[in-house]
Amino acid sequence: MRPRLTTKDYIDGILNGDRMVLSRAITLVESRLSGDRELAQQVLMGVLPHTGNSSRIGITGVPGVGKSTFIEVFGQHVVSMGKSLAVLTVDPSSQRSGGSILGDKTRMEVLSHHPLAYIRPSATGSSLGGVAHRTREAMLLCEAAGYEIILIETVGVGQSETLVRSMTDFFLLLMLAGAGDELQGIKKGIMEMADAIAITKTDGSNRPLAEQAVSEYRNALHLFSLSESGWNAPVVTCSATENEGIGEIWDLIQNYLTLIHANGYFHKSRQNQNVDWLRSLIRQQLEDRFFIHPEIAEQWADTEQAVRSGVELPLPAAQRLLHRFFKEE
Amino acid sequence: MRPRLTTKDYIDGILNGDRMVLSRAITLVESRLSGDRELAQQVLMGVLPHTGNSSRIGITGVPGVGKSTFIEVFGQHVVSMGKSLAVLTVDPSSQRSGGSILGDKTRMEVLSHHPLAYIRPSATGSSLGGVAHRTREAMLLCEAAGYEIILIETVGVGQSETLVRSMTDFFLLLMLAGAGDELQGIKKGIMEMADAIAITKTDGSNRPLAEQAVSEYRNALHLFSLSESGWNAPVVTCSATENEGIGEIWDLIQNYLTLIHANGYFHKSRQNQNVDWLRSLIRQQLEDRFFIHPEIAEQWADTEQAVRSGVELPLPAAQRLLHRFFKEE
Ligand SMILES: Nc1nc2c(ncn2[C@@H]2O[C@H](COP(=O)(O)OP(=O)(O)OP(=O)(O)O)[C@@H](O)[C@H]2O)c(=O)[nH]1
Ligand SMILES: Nc1nc2c(ncn2[C@@H]2O[C@H](COP(=O)(O)OP(=O)(O)OP(=O)(O)O)[C@@H](O)[C@H]2O)c(=O)[nH]1
Ligand SMILES: [Mg+2]
Ligand SMILES: [Mg+2]
């Protein structure tokens, strides 16, 4: 077993950009052991003054749309310009943890061996709020370690996109051409959160379909209001296998960041991210403490079942559990 | 001053369909006085077994789209078939409370005098969660009073639509033709929650524009996945002033309800509504108790400001407040 690191070991290691320590710190923030939680808090406190300096980019899309392949190629473009890059993945459905995401390090074969890139497939779990906190904390650790660009990949089938959206500066939605079956999995509303849509796999016989998809999505996006950032979400095409359109996506992200730095939206958005985070930490902690309370934990499954089947009504059920929790009467 | 009613007075009055008592009961559930809250809980408990039997319909759209005028005409169609109807409004921005919604009773001139109709412009407030609970409780009181159709009007500019969506069986989005300025206010993502879209004010010179809007919205909706209910959201036109398309909308809602009763989605959706409600009651109560705690209330504004401006970080701020709340350390 590796010797336990002290708070100072963690902080120094991270700030020096030591990947081994960074990885162990991310494992630490993901741990649910209460001793680990305390140490994790101290490490986070120590590095927090050194966070906030990266460009945070979220990437989503249905399974198989080509997210990992895109990141492999896009990431190489980023590091080829001398920028350091950390890649995190969020996958709230723990069943998938043995699946494709764990295979990503091999899918990102070239990128994962580049000295400027750090890839961390992580953050699966049952509670979405919990996943969100661990991802945010992992992101902060990567920032403290000096990574300039953070990419967060999430699967666009649940609610994790909303969370990733709320902790990133730019949100890229990858879509497949051929608005048929392939789109069945995309959650309603995700399209509207995107700062850009890229039609993936625009190569070979897919090209005509992709061009058609571009104009369909452009029309669809035009039905919606201009976003608060003042930016019009563009729809572009790309092919990771042919390395086409990748540099253009990097450029448009730079244009977006330039715009929001100039018009003050970046600053405002980061301030809002902080207040959101404060509120969500409080909310999450209150809920966590409620649900790990021994009496609640014991009664929850039965109560939920009783409410679902209509045997007990939500209002009295909630009162009953809350009285227990606050040890009233 | 009117004499205070007892729990039994309230319950009997509501179950007898006494509108005066119903109105006072809704005022009671909206009250924040802690004595009123307790009485309200008892009244709700008393009537709960008599709830759940209405068709719950949510209606949203930007200010001025014609929601109130639509409800005036649609409501008359409903009562003309001998069905009783309650209309509730949700408007989370309290600034608007002096505005158009309070004028609705006059806008719904004919409907408001019909013996089968009950109109209650209400539920404004600062906390969205609070508004949601009061609206849900008002809806339950109306159901207990025997109303067969509940219409909930909400302005489609905030997050209240998501809440209204989560407590209704059918969600109707009203839209204006001419996808220009008029649409700027619509929040991204609302369109995707709709079970039907109706292009309002399809009369006079608006007609050609409306037909064009129909095909645009149909195309846009086709980009999204089939909803879990198995229903394809239709796009239709209507004119409240010409009384055109109104009966058709009633018919399509009936078709929807028939479908979801047949395929089991209605039952499943109501069960899920109950579990959601239980969870949201617990979440809301935990937060309410946190924020009304004297020490938290005293420190909150300063803490939020410190976090916003970056003087304090969210993580230690949350810890500090939570320790206070749970009287730890
Ligand atoms: N033709 C073509 N195929 C591609 C392209 N990008 C990815 N693919 C293929 O699409 C499949 C899925 O790619 P992934 O990158 O694993 O997709 P993903 O979105 O990360 O999938 P999940 O992680 O399972 O959600 C693989 O077989 C890739 O080889 C592309 O640009 N062109
Ligand atoms: N031509 C035409 N005008 C309409 C129609 N329906 C409503 N209007 C007009 O549109 C304006 C706004 O109507 P309201 O019903 O108050 O709209 P609303 O959506 O309830 O507005 P808020 O409550 O402010 O959100 C009024 O001047 C109505 O007379 C219609 O079918 N045709
Ligand atoms: Mg992948
Ligand atoms: Mg109105």
Side-chain angles (χ1 to χ4, degrees):
Chain A
M1 223 190 96
R2 296 172 300 184
R4 205 169 158 84
L5 299 180
T6 66
T7 309
K8 187 168 182 314
D9 293 338
Y10 275 115
I11 295 174
D12 291 348
I14 292 165
L15 297 181
N16 287 328
D18 181 328
R19 285 153 179 263
M20 178 81 80
V21 176
L22 174 61
S23 292
R24 286 182 66 177
I26 296 179
T27 304
L28 185 73
V29 300
E30 288 175 356
S31 165
R32 281 166 199 168
L33 304 177
S34 68
D36 285 348
R37 274 316 288 159
E38 252 166 65
L39 184 55
Q41 296 293 316
Q42 285 162 8
V43 172
L44 280 164
M45 298 288 204
V47 303
L48 274 171
H50 306 274
T51 63
N53 305 316
S54 78
S55 296
R56 304 167 178 173
I57 301 170
I59 296 185
T60 194
V62 295
V65 70
K67 296 180 292 299
S68 304
T69 315
F70 175 83
I71 291 172
E72 161 81 337
V73 179
F74 182 80
Q76 288 175 56
H77 183 78
V78 172
V79 295
S80 77
M81 291 177 302
K83 300 229 174 244
S84 59
L85 170 78
V87 179
L88 304 172
T89 50
V90 178
D91 186 0
S93 70
S94 44
Q95 304 94 288
R96 274 175 53 92
S97 62
S100 47
I101 280 201
L102 283 187
D104 272 355
K105 266 208 159 154
T106 47
R107 198 154 306 158
M108 300 179 193
E109 184 76 55
V110 179
L111 189 61
S112 64
H113 290 102
H114 197 285
L116 285 172
Y118 174 78
I119 298 177
R120 173 78 183 200
S122 66
T124 62
S126 52
S127 139
L128 197 56
V131 169
H133 286 126
R134 290 197 292 283
T135 304
R136 198 190 282 269
E137 290 170 359
M139 176 176 80
L140 295 171
L141 294 174
C142 290
E143 285 186 342
Y147 289 95
E148 293 161 279
I149 310 290
I150 316 272
L151 290 184
I152 308 183
E153 173 186 346
T154 190
V155 180
V157 290
Q159 292 195 283
S160 58
E161 318 75 50
T162 312
L163 288 166
V164 171
R165 179 78 199 88
S166 78
M167 60 180 82
T168 53
D169 305 313
F170 187 92
F171 198 59
L172 176 65
L173 172 61
L174 301 185
M175 298 273 261
L176 291 164
D181 295 342
E182 301 96 330
L183 281 172
Q184 296 303 316
I186 198 85
K187 212 192 118 224
K188 297 183 171 195
I190 297 184
M191 217 175 101
E192 289 64 50
M193 299 191 311
D195 295 308
I197 294 179
I199 313 291
T200 57
K201 307 189 190 180
T202 305
D203 44 47
S205 57
N206 270 332
R207 284 181 201 272
L209 270 178
E211 291 308 328
Q212 195 190 321
V214 166
S215 70
E216 281 174 12
Y217 289 124
R218 273 198 193 131
N219 286 338
L221 284 180
H222 280 156
L223 295 174
F224 298 107
S225 52
L226 199 68
S227 89
E228 206 196 327
S229 62
W231 171 259
N232 271 303
V235 183
V236 299
T237 58
C238 69
S239 166
T241 53
E242 305 289 314
N243 199 345
E244 282 180 20
I246 304 297
E248 286 77 359
I249 292 174
W250 170 255
D251 291 344
L252 78 84
I253 295 175
Q254 297 314 301
N255 286 335
Y256 172 81
L257 292 171
T258 306
L259 169 72
I260 65 172
H261 273 101
N263 69 11
Y265 182 75
F266 179 85
H267 185 63
K268 193 176 153 199
S269 152
R270 285 281 176 103
Q271 285 191 327
N272 288 339
Q273 282 177 37
N274 274 345
V275 175
D276 281 359
W277 187 22
L278 173 65
R279 287 183 175 270
S280 104
L281 280 166
I282 289 170
R283 212 175 292 130
Q284 181 67 31
Q285 277 276 334
L286 289 169
E287 266 188 76
D288 282 355
R289 284 169 186 245
F290 181 82
F291 285 109
I292 62 166
H293 186 283
E295 285 184 66
I296 305 300
E298 195 195 303
Q299 296 182 22
W300 179 253
D302 287 349
T303 304
E304 195 189 55
Q305 187 45 39
V307 164
R308 183 177 295 281
S309 62
V311 171
E312 191 172 16
L313 291 157
L315 208 52
Q319 293 313 337
R320 183 168 56 73
L321 295 179
L322 284 159
H323 284 316
R324 279 290 159 87
F325 180 64
F326 286 108
K327 305 248 179 300
E328 287 158 357
E329 118 230 59
Chain B
M1 223 192 94
R2 294 173 302 185
R4 204 169 159 84
L5 300 179
T6 65
T7 308
K8 188 169 182 311
D9 294 337
Y10 274 115
I11 295 173
D12 291 348
I14 292 165
L15 296 181
N16 287 329
D18 181 328
R19 284 154 179 264
M20 178 81 81
V21 175
L22 173 60
S23 292
R24 288 182 66 179
I26 295 179
T27 304
L28 184 73
V29 299
E30 288 175 357
S31 164
R32 280 162 201 174
L33 303 176
S34 69
D36 285 349
R37 274 317 288 161
E38 252 168 64
L39 184 54
Q41 297 294 317
Q42 285 162 8
V43 172
L44 280 164
M45 299 286 205
V47 303
L48 274 172
H50 306 273
T51 63
N53 305 317
S54 77
S55 297
R56 305 167 177 173
I57 301 171
I59 296 186
T60 195
V62 295
V65 70
K67 295 180 291 297
S68 304
T69 315
F70 175 85
I71 291 171
E72 162 80 337
V73 179
F74 182 80
Q76 288 175 55
H77 183 79
V78 172
V79 296
S80 77
M81 289 177 303
K83 300 233 174 238
S84 58
L85 170 77
V87 179
L88 304 172
T89 51
V90 179
D91 187 359
S93 71
S94 42
Q95 304 93 290
R96 274 175 55 92
S97 61
S100 48
I101 279 199
L102 283 186
D104 272 356
K105 265 206 159 153
T106 47
R107 197 155 304 158
M108 301 180 193
E109 185 74 57
V110 177
L111 188 62
S112 63
H113 290 102
H114 196 284
L116 285 174
Y118 174 78
I119 298 177
R120 172 78 182 200
S122 66
T124 62
S126 52
S127 136
L128 197 58
V131 169
H133 286 127
R134 291 198 291 285
T135 304
R136 197 189 283 266
E137 289 168 1
M139 176 175 83
L140 295 172
L141 294 174
C142 291
E143 286 185 342
Y147 289 95
E148 293 160 280
I149 310 289
I150 316 271
L151 289 185
I152 307 183
E153 173 186 347
T154 190
V155 179
V157 290
Q159 292 195 283
S160 57
E161 318 78 47
T162 312
L163 288 166
V164 171
R165 179 77 200 90
S166 79
M167 60 179 82
T168 53
D169 305 313
F170 187 91
F171 197 59
L172 176 64
L173 172 61
L174 302 184
M175 297 275 259
L176 292 163
D181 295 341
E182 301 97 330
L183 280 173
Q184 295 304 313
I186 198 87
K187 213 193 117 225
K188 299 182 166 193
I190 298 183
M191 214 175 104
E192 289 65 48
M193 299 191 311
D195 296 309
I197 294 179
I199 313 292
T200 57
K201 307 188 190 180
T202 304
D203 43 46
S205 57
N206 271 334
R207 284 181 202 272
L209 270 179
E211 292 308 331
Q212 196 189 322
V214 166
S215 71
E216 280 174 13
Y217 289 124
R218 269 192 198 137
N219 286 337
L221 284 181
H222 280 156
L223 294 175
F224 299 107
S225 52
L226 198 69
S227 89
E228 206 196 326
S229 60
W231 172 257
N232 272 302
V235 183
V236 300
T237 59
C238 69
S239 166
T241 53
E242 305 289 315
N243 199 345
E244 282 178 22
I246 305 296
E248 285 77 0
I249 292 174
W250 170 257
D251 291 344
L252 80 82
I253 296 175
Q254 296 314 301
N255 286 335
Y256 172 82
L257 293 171
T258 306
L259 170 71
I260 66 172
H261 273 101
N263 69 12
Y265 181 74
F266 179 84
H267 184 62
K268 193 176 152 198
S269 152
R270 286 282 176 101
Q271 285 191 328
N272 289 338
Q273 282 177 38
N274 275 345
V275 175
D276 280 358
W277 188 21
L278 172 65
R279 287 182 175 269
S280 104
L281 281 165
I282 288 170
R283 212 176 291 129
Q284 181 67 29
Q285 278 276 336
L286 289 170
E287 267 188 76
D288 283 355
R289 287 170 185 244
F290 181 81
F291 284 109
I292 61 166
H293 185 283
E295 287 185 65
I296 304 300
E298 195 195 304
Q299 297 182 23
W300 179 254
D302 287 348
T303 303
E304 196 189 53
Q305 187 45 40
V307 164
R308 185 178 294 283
S309 62
V311 172
E312 191 173 13
L313 292 158
L315 206 53
Q319 293 311 339
R320 183 169 56 74
L321 295 178
L322 285 160
H323 283 317
R324 278 291 159 86
F325 180 64
F326 286 108
K327 305 243 179 300
E328 288 158 351
E329 123 235 54

